[in-house]
Amino acid sequence: MDKKILGLAALLGGIAVILGAFGAHGLKAVLDESQLLTFETGVRYQVYHALFLLFVSITPSCTAKAKKAIAYLVGFGVLFFSGSIYLLATNDLTPIDFKFLGPITPVGGLLLITAWFTVAYQAFFVKKGI
């Protein structure tokens, strides 16, 4: 499982770098400053959580079951949170109105928060590793 979490972390990190470069270079001319900042927020949170998953993949403080749950929470959390932010920030560039995704952004945030609190629970209440 640790290897799969490491792979997910690397995938999320690599995609974040690609999207960050695309935002800085490809979208700079077509988005206003507010939209660009919104897009960058999605990238920033994606990078944070890629690094978080790197930590989770190597820590002995979480059980294998918790690591698997954390990986799912982060994977779907980034998809919902950052993914919806990317689409909402670039909404004016597409014929599809992605405003219906607005309510999914906080759901993604809640999943990400739950992942962090799962690590905290593991650290404080589960006897494993360190």
Side-chain angles (χ1 to χ4, degrees):
M1 179 46 77
D2 291 346
K3 194 172 180 179
K4 289 180 182 178
I5 295 171
L6 179 63
L8 178 59
L11 187 63
L12 288 176
I15 291 169
V17 171
I18 292 167
L19 289 173
F22 177 63
H25 302 287
L27 296 176
K28 193 173 188 175
V30 293
L31 295 182
D32 66 31
E33 188 176 332
S34 175
Q35 292 168 314
L36 260 177
L37 286 173
T38 300
F39 192 88
E40 289 172 4
T41 297
V43 171
R44 191 169 53 252
Y45 274 80
Q46 185 169 334
V47 169
Y48 294 159
H49 288 88
L51 294 171
F52 176 61
L53 280 180
L54 283 174
F55 163 76
V56 168
S57 74
I58 63 169
T59 186
S61 296
C62 295
T63 64
K65 185 177 178 181
K67 286 183 178 187
K68 185 175 182 178
I70 292 163
Y72 277 104
L73 288 165
V74 170
F76 284 107
V78 167
L79 179 67
F80 292 172
F81 184 81
S82 292
S84 65
I85 286 176
Y86 299 142
L87 293 172
L88 289 166
T90 59
N91 196 48
D92 294 345
L93 304 178
T94 66
I96 301 168
D97 186 3
F98 289 111
K99 289 183 183 169
F100 70 92
L101 291 177
I104 204 165
T105 307
V107 172
L110 185 60
L111 293 173
L112 296 172
I113 292 165
T114 303
W116 283 94
F117 284 152
T118 301
V119 172
Y121 178 83
Q122 291 285 300
F124 290 126
F125 300 110
V126 175
K127 302 273 189 220
K128 176 162 188 340
I130 331 179

